[in-house]
Amino acid sequence: MLDINETKNLTEEEKQLYYIGLSKKIIEEKERELGRKLTACVTTFGCQMNARDSEKLSGILREIGYEIIEDEKADFVVFNTCTVRENANTKVYGRLGILNSYKKKNSSMKIALCGCMMQEKDEVEKVKKSYRFVDMVFGTHNLFKFGELFYQMISEDARVIEVLEASDEIVENLPLERKFPFKSGVNISFGCNNFCTYCIVPYVRGREKSRNPKDIIKEIENLVKDGVIEVMLLGQNVNSYGKTLEPKVSFAELLRDIEKIEGLKRIRFMTSHPKDLSDDLIDVMASSDKISKHLHLPLQSGSTAILKKMNRVYTKEDYLALVDRIKAKTPEVSLTTDIIVGFPGETEEDFLETMDVVSKVQYDSAFTFIYSKRTGTPAASFDNQVPEDVVKDRFDRLLALVQETSRKQVSRFEGQVMEALVEEVNSQDESLVSARLLNNVIVHFPGTKDDIGKLVKVKLTKCMGFYYYGEAIS
Ligand code: 5AD
Ligand code: SF4
């Protein structure tokens, strides 16, 4: 049983470390019983925020004593779920069925579900009733309590389900396992206050909370000491970073401080909401040689009328003017975007406005989504849902245009020499390595695994549509 008295004077961080320690003893015991090391696998669905959360879960599991593997036949499997579109949920249930078949063959197997989908009451009810083989459920607000919940599950051999509606807590300094030694995501804020009418994120991730700049800087300094040269600053809307802090700090100011960290070579960030992107940020980006010349700037729709119904708080003209301001200061910028097709009430004219923006902006790439109705969001009850065949037709036309423009955009660097960060040996051709340019484009060139994690000057010899072949310049 949990002894409340032993933890009552501890900070949340100390308390979690305490439970991780207790869990470790139980896992050591189990290892002795089984005569082998126990394994764990954390599978991420969805966005970079979830990927970062999964690193936190893996870090805690490693600390508890598990060997982390990428095989869902492991002794402990965590599904870190996404719910942004309906098909994300469908995918999770499909994969859970497979996990159940593994569990029937491994009696010591435990299964946990967490992440955005678990913040939806109906989904948790469904799991409780129809997926009884799931041992543990928690949400986005109590991820930091994973060690404690794990201990509860393992020590009492009980099913543990705990989902909080909200939390103001940001718990720093828990264990963390990074997927790449040379680059890392860094959360700068959590949650979202924008309530775009189609989007479930503010309901499942809660209100926006910014991390203290000192904690962010300290984390990055430690990462750099540990060999990291590139960070990806993560927030649902990085441009509104710091608005709720006392004293207020802007995202541009935070970037300026991060830039000063010695040894840090590259800084990326996402996602930028167009309504909050300041001229100060455009200037910082233009003047820095550490900050990525890539902006992910979700458009969602090119129609002012639809943008209003989406509650995006900018017009088509505002968006285009913003893009002009960015390109004026950083002509080589790579712009990428998200677009939703088939939002309720979208007419052919509205759709053509979206096509028009895509033609004008010339994105390097665009993620295109078919509108998905999310229960509880305002748009779910809007009239004039667009018929499926109309949406499909628009989606195909948009995709064709996006592919054409991105091919052209990406190829504009052909023949140039650029610095690229080597990420891995090419999975199809072992004589090549794959590296990422500052504008986020991938280049493959001859190299070995010793190049991984290095910044290399590469001549972009041949554009292959969305990526390059190149050669290292010594
Ligand atoms: N339907 C379709 N796409 C959506 N997105 C968010 N909510 C929905 C939805 N209900 C898209 C937006 C967002 C991206 C992460 O997912 O384009 O920028
Ligand atoms: Fe969703 Fe809009 Fe917030 Fe992005 S800004 S997470 S689309 S509500």
Side-chain angles (χ1 to χ4, degrees):
M1 283 300 285
L2 305 184
D3 186 347
I4 308 284
N5 288 328
E6 288 202 44
T7 60
K8 78 170 184 248
N9 293 325
L10 302 180
T11 63
E12 191 58 48
E13 180 188 325
E14 289 164 344
K15 190 168 142 192
Q16 292 312 315
L17 294 172
Y18 169 78
Y19 284 118
I20 290 169
L22 292 182
S23 302
K24 193 172 176 158
K25 290 202 183 100
I26 298 181
I27 293 303
E28 276 167 6
E29 185 76 13
K30 283 205 187 296
E31 256 178 38
R32 273 195 294 275
E33 265 170 42
L34 291 168
R36 64 171 175 87
K37 195 129 179 93
L38 288 161
T39 55
C41 170
V42 181
T43 302
T44 309
F45 296 81
C47 67
Q48 307 244 13
M49 290 281 199
N50 263 16
R52 185 65 176 158
D53 284 348
S54 290
E55 292 188 339
K56 296 176 185 168
L57 298 171
S58 296
I60 292 173
L61 285 168
R62 179 182 288 278
E63 193 62 32
I64 287 175
Y66 282 96
E67 182 190 341
I68 308 298
I69 60 171
E70 284 187 22
D71 182 344
E72 289 173 8
K73 286 185 180 139
D75 297 299
F76 188 69
V77 178
V78 187
F79 275 0
N80 189 5
T81 65
C82 168
T83 187
V84 74
R85 287 170 292 276
E86 181 63 34
N87 58 5
N89 296 34
T90 319
K91 225 190 273 173
V92 167
Y93 286 119
R95 294 271 288 274
L96 262 183
I98 303 174
L99 278 196
N100 192 21
S101 68
Y102 297 156
K103 189 169 179 173
K104 283 181 182 149
K105 290 183 198 138
N106 176 2
S107 59
S108 62
M109 185 172 179
K110 299 272 179 209
I111 298 173
L113 291 179
C114 64
C116 295
M117 201 173 129
M118 294 304 110
Q119 289 297 141
E120 292 183 272
K121 283 199 178 75
D122 291 353
E123 303 297 346
V124 174
E125 283 311 308
K126 188 165 160 180
V127 170
K128 264 191 200 164
K129 282 204 196 91
S130 313
Y131 293 81
R132 304 202 63 84
F133 56 91
V134 172
D135 302 283
M136 185 175 180
V137 173
F138 56 101
T140 57
H141 298 298
N142 57 352
L143 188 117
F144 66 84
K145 267 185 82 175
F146 178 53
E148 181 175 347
L149 299 173
F150 181 91
Y151 178 67
Q152 210 176 325
M153 174 192 74
I154 207 93
S155 63
E156 299 170 20
D157 199 17
R159 195 178 199 206
V160 175
I161 297 182
E162 186 185 287
V163 179
L164 309 182
E165 296 228 347
S167 159
D168 287 331
E169 201 137 21
I170 297 180
V171 182
E172 302 282 346
N173 303 323
L174 291 176
L176 196 140
E177 162 124 338
R178 277 188 289 110
K179 203 165 172 192
F180 298 97
F182 54 89
K183 66 170 188 176
S184 179
V186 173
N187 297 110
I188 64 165
S189 62
F190 303 92
C192 182
N193 287 351
N194 292 316
F195 290 95
C196 301
T197 55
Y198 51 81
C199 188
I200 201 164
V201 168
Y203 305 91
V204 295
R205 285 266 171 190
R207 291 299 63 70
E208 187 176 285
K209 299 180 282 252
S210 294
R211 276 178 80 195
N212 192 313
K214 282 202 189 81
D215 290 327
I216 298 172
I217 303 280
K218 196 168 84 194
E219 178 177 350
I220 301 177
E221 283 171 348
N222 286 335
L223 286 168
V224 170
K225 273 189 208 133
D226 209 24
V228 164
I229 59 171
E230 175 182 298
V231 290
M232 166 73 96
L233 309 176
L234 298 170
Q236 232 73 50
N237 175 8
V238 290
N239 299 325
S240 67
Y241 169 81
K243 284 189 177 159
T244 51
L245 289 175
E246 235 0 283
K248 270 192 196 165
V249 185
S250 76
F251 180 53
E253 285 163 345
L254 177 73
L255 274 177
R256 283 203 186 91
D257 285 345
I258 295 177
E259 257 212 301
K260 289 184 201 134
I261 298 176
E262 233 170 274
L264 180 67
K265 304 269 171 59
R266 307 220 289 193
I267 305 166
R268 306 178 169 281
F269 53 86
M270 73 187 308
T271 292
S272 286
H273 194 308
K275 78 176 168 64
D276 296 312
L277 203 151
S278 68
D279 287 339
D280 198 14
L281 176 63
I282 297 176
D283 288 340
V284 179
M285 211 177 128
S287 63
S288 164
D289 47 359
K290 284 189 183 180
I291 299 175
S292 168
K293 304 292 184 250
H294 164 228
L295 262 182
H296 185 65
L297 199 59
L299 169 68
Q300 313 299 4
S301 168
S303 153
T304 297
I306 294 293
L307 287 168
K308 190 153 199 271
K309 288 189 191 156
M310 286 177 161
N311 190 29
R312 291 291 290 177
V313 205
Y314 53 85
T315 63
K316 175 186 180 185
E317 290 68 32
D318 293 336
Y319 187 95
L320 288 172
L322 174 63
V323 167
D324 283 347
R325 288 203 298 280
I326 297 165
K327 286 186 176 172
K329 292 271 168 84
T330 310
E332 73 277 30
V333 71
S334 286
L335 294 172
T336 58
T337 200
D338 294 341
I339 300 171
I340 297 175
V341 178
F343 184 80
E346 183 190 74
T347 62
E348 177 64 15
E349 288 68 38
D350 291 321
F351 173 69
L352 292 177
E353 300 272 20
T354 300
M355 295 284 271
D356 185 44
V357 176
V358 172
S359 302
K360 289 199 165 104
V361 174
Q362 298 281 306
Y363 295 105
D364 278 41
S365 79
F367 297 97
T368 49
F369 305 107
I370 286 180
Y371 168 71
S372 169
K373 201 172 176 173
R374 309 310 290 128
T375 312
T377 61
S381 53
F382 284 2
D383 294 335
N384 303 325
Q385 302 278 334
V386 185
E388 223 174 278
D389 55 334
V390 176
V391 177
K392 181 77 181 59
D393 173 64
R394 287 180 193 162
F395 184 81
D396 291 345
R397 283 190 281 155
L398 177 64
L399 196 62
L401 179 63
V402 160
Q403 287 181 343
E404 185 192 313
T405 49
S406 62
R407 241 186 220 109
K408 205 165 78 211
Q409 272 307 98
V410 173
S411 73
R412 74 194 188 280
F413 303 111
E414 199 167 77
Q416 293 188 20
V417 174
M418 285 187 165
E419 207 167 50
L421 175 59
V422 182
E423 295 194 342
E424 58 194 5
V425 172
N426 188 297
S427 52
Q428 270 139 45
D429 180 346
E430 282 188 5
S431 70
L432 301 177
V433 289
S434 304
R436 201 176 286 272
L437 303 169
L438 203 50
N439 61 18
N440 212 31
V441 172
I442 298 284
V443 55
H444 307 286
F445 62 94
T448 67
K449 67 173 184 353
D450 296 338
D451 296 320
I452 294 175
K454 290 189 184 146
L455 277 171
V456 181
K457 282 207 162 42
V458 183
K459 179 159 189 193
L460 307 174
T461 46
K462 193 163 169 37
C463 181
M464 301 299 293
F466 307 112
Y467 60 93
Y468 277 98
Y469 282 123
E471 55 200 48
I473 306 285
S474 48

